[in-house]
Amino acid sequence: MRASMVTRAYLDQKLALAKRCSREATLAGAKAAAVATVASAVPTLASVRMLPWAKANINPTGQALIICTAAGMAYFVAADKKILSLARRHSFENAPEHLKNTSFQGTGRPHPAFFRPRGTLNFHSD
Protein backbone atom coordinates (compact mmCIF):
# COMPACT_ATOMS: atom_id res chain seq x y z
CA MET A 1 0.00 0.00 0.00
CA ARG A 2 1.35 3.36 -1.01
CA ALA A 3 1.25 6.14 1.57
CA SER A 4 0.57 9.58 0.20
CA MET A 5 3.07 12.21 1.22
CA VAL A 6 1.94 15.68 2.22
CA THR A 7 4.50 18.31 1.40
CA ARG A 8 5.07 21.60 3.18
CA ALA A 9 4.19 23.48 -0.01
CA TYR A 10 0.85 21.66 -0.21
CA LEU A 11 0.03 22.57 3.39
CA ASP A 12 1.08 26.19 2.82
CA GLN A 13 -1.13 26.36 -0.25
CA LYS A 14 -4.11 24.95 1.68
CA LEU A 15 -3.50 27.38 4.55
CA ALA A 16 -3.33 30.35 2.16
CA LEU A 17 -6.58 29.22 0.52
CA ALA A 18 -8.28 28.89 3.92
CA LYS A 19 -7.11 32.36 4.95
CA ARG A 20 -8.36 33.88 1.70
CA CYS A 21 -11.74 32.18 2.08
CA SER A 22 -11.99 33.35 5.67
CA ARG A 23 -11.16 36.91 4.63
CA GLU A 24 -13.78 36.84 1.86
CA ALA A 25 -16.41 35.49 4.26
CA THR A 26 -15.58 38.16 6.84
CA LEU A 27 -15.92 40.89 4.25
CA ALA A 28 -19.24 39.50 2.99
CA GLY A 29 -20.52 39.30 6.56
CA ALA A 30 -19.41 42.85 7.35
CA LYS A 31 -21.17 44.19 4.27
CA ALA A 32 -24.37 42.34 5.17
CA ALA A 33 -24.17 43.57 8.77
CA ALA A 34 -23.78 47.18 7.64
CA VAL A 35 -26.82 46.92 5.38
CA ALA A 36 -28.85 45.18 8.11
CA THR A 37 -27.87 47.83 10.64
CA VAL A 38 -29.24 50.61 8.49
CA ALA A 39 -32.26 48.58 7.42
CA SER A 40 -33.23 47.85 11.03
CA ALA A 41 -32.14 51.12 12.64
CA VAL A 42 -34.26 53.38 10.45
CA PRO A 43 -37.65 51.76 11.19
CA THR A 44 -36.77 51.05 14.82
CA LEU A 45 -35.76 54.63 15.61
CA ALA A 46 -38.60 56.07 13.53
CA SER A 47 -41.20 53.92 15.26
CA VAL A 48 -39.92 54.89 18.72
CA ARG A 49 -40.35 58.57 17.81
CA MET A 50 -43.74 58.26 16.09
CA LEU A 51 -45.68 55.40 17.68
CA PRO A 52 -46.91 55.89 21.24
CA TRP A 53 -46.74 52.16 22.04
CA ALA A 54 -43.13 51.88 20.88
CA LYS A 55 -42.19 55.07 22.69
CA ALA A 56 -43.63 53.70 25.94
CA ASN A 57 -42.33 50.13 25.67
CA ILE A 58 -39.00 50.11 23.80
CA ASN A 59 -36.24 51.75 25.81
CA PRO A 60 -32.79 52.58 24.32
CA THR A 61 -31.43 49.20 25.36
CA GLY A 62 -34.26 47.46 23.53
CA GLN A 63 -33.65 49.58 20.45
CA ALA A 64 -29.96 48.68 20.47
CA LEU A 65 -30.83 45.02 20.96
CA ILE A 66 -33.17 45.03 17.95
CA ILE A 67 -30.58 46.68 15.73
CA CYS A 68 -27.63 44.57 16.90
CA THR A 69 -29.56 41.32 16.60
CA ALA A 70 -30.41 42.09 12.98
CA ALA A 71 -26.80 43.02 12.24
CA GLY A 72 -25.40 39.93 13.97
CA MET A 73 -27.76 37.57 12.21
CA ALA A 74 -27.00 39.13 8.84
CA TYR A 75 -23.25 38.84 9.49
CA PHE A 76 -23.34 35.16 10.35
CA VAL A 77 -25.79 34.18 7.63
CA ALA A 78 -23.80 35.98 4.91
CA ALA A 79 -20.44 34.70 6.16
CA ASP A 80 -21.73 31.14 6.40
CA LYS A 81 -23.22 31.31 2.91
CA LYS A 82 -19.92 32.58 1.54
CA ILE A 83 -17.89 29.88 3.29
CA LEU A 84 -20.21 27.14 2.04
CA SER A 85 -20.17 28.43 -1.54
CA LEU A 86 -16.37 28.68 -1.55
CA ALA A 87 -16.01 25.21 -0.03
CA ARG A 88 -18.38 23.78 -2.62
CA ARG A 89 -16.52 25.48 -5.45
CA HIS A 90 -13.09 24.40 -4.23
CA SER A 91 -14.14 20.82 -3.55
CA PHE A 92 -15.59 20.59 -7.05
CA GLU A 93 -12.43 22.06 -8.60
CA ASN A 94 -10.23 19.55 -6.77
CA ALA A 95 -12.42 16.53 -7.47
CA PRO A 96 -11.30 13.82 -9.90
CA GLU A 97 -12.75 14.15 -13.40
CA HIS A 98 -14.95 11.08 -13.11
CA LEU A 99 -16.73 12.66 -10.11
CA LYS A 100 -17.34 16.04 -11.78
CA ASN A 101 -20.10 14.65 -13.99
CA THR A 102 -23.04 15.08 -11.62
CA SER A 103 -25.79 13.91 -13.93
CA PHE A 104 -27.22 10.43 -13.78
CA GLN A 105 -26.75 8.65 -17.11
CA GLY A 106 -29.77 6.38 -16.78
CA THR A 107 -32.57 8.94 -17.15
CA GLY A 108 -31.25 11.05 -20.02
CA ARG A 109 -31.98 14.27 -18.17
CA PRO A 110 -29.78 16.36 -15.87
CA HIS A 111 -30.29 16.66 -12.15
CA PRO A 112 -32.09 19.74 -10.85
CA ALA A 113 -29.91 22.83 -10.57
CA PHE A 114 -29.41 22.57 -6.81
CA PHE A 115 -27.42 19.35 -7.29
CA ARG A 116 -24.96 20.97 -9.69
CA PRO A 117 -22.17 23.40 -8.88
CA ARG A 118 -22.69 26.85 -10.34
CA GLY A 119 -21.71 27.39 -13.92
CA THR A 120 -21.95 23.79 -15.09
CA LEU A 121 -24.60 22.27 -17.27
CA ASN A 122 -24.64 18.57 -17.97
CA PHE A 123 -26.96 17.93 -20.87
CA HIS A 124 -26.80 14.59 -22.60
CA SER A 125 -27.86 13.94 -26.16
CA ASP A 126 -28.72 10.30 -26.56
Side-chain angles (χ1 to χ4, degrees):
M1 182 179 262
R2 209 173 128 202
S4 62
M5 293 184 60
V6 177
T7 63
R8 176 73 180 186
Y10 176 79
L11 292 176
D12 288 343
Q13 179 185 8
K14 287 292 186 184
L15 181 62
L17 181 64
K19 284 182 179 179
R20 191 182 79 219
C21 292
S22 176
R23 198 172 304 119
E24 286 182 38
T26 302
L27 186 60
K31 287 179 183 178
V35 170
T37 299
V38 173
S40 63
V42 170
T44 301
L45 298 175
S47 66
V48 168
R49 295 193 187 274
M50 291 187 230
L51 300 173
W53 180 90
K55 190 176 218 175
N57 292 304
I58 304 176
N59 63 14
T61 303
Q63 296 168 32
L65 186 61
I66 291 168
I67 296 166
C68 290
T69 301
M73 289 184 344
Y75 176 86
F76 285 109
V77 167
D80 193 45
K81 266 183 80 171
K82 187 68 170 180
I83 288 171
L84 290 174
S85 70
L86 291 171
R88 187 179 301 116
R89 184 174 65 199
H90 292 139
S91 68
F92 186 76
E93 289 171 357
N94 295 332
E97 285 301 317
H98 71 281
L99 294 177
K100 288 185 179 181
N101 183 0
T102 59
S103 63
F104 181 63
Q105 300 291 331
T107 62
R109 61 183 168 81
H111 282 299
F114 56 85
F115 286 127
R116 286 192 307 270
R118 288 186 187 168
T120 61
L121 295 175
N122 294 321
F123 293 106
H124 299 282
S125 56
D126 292 326

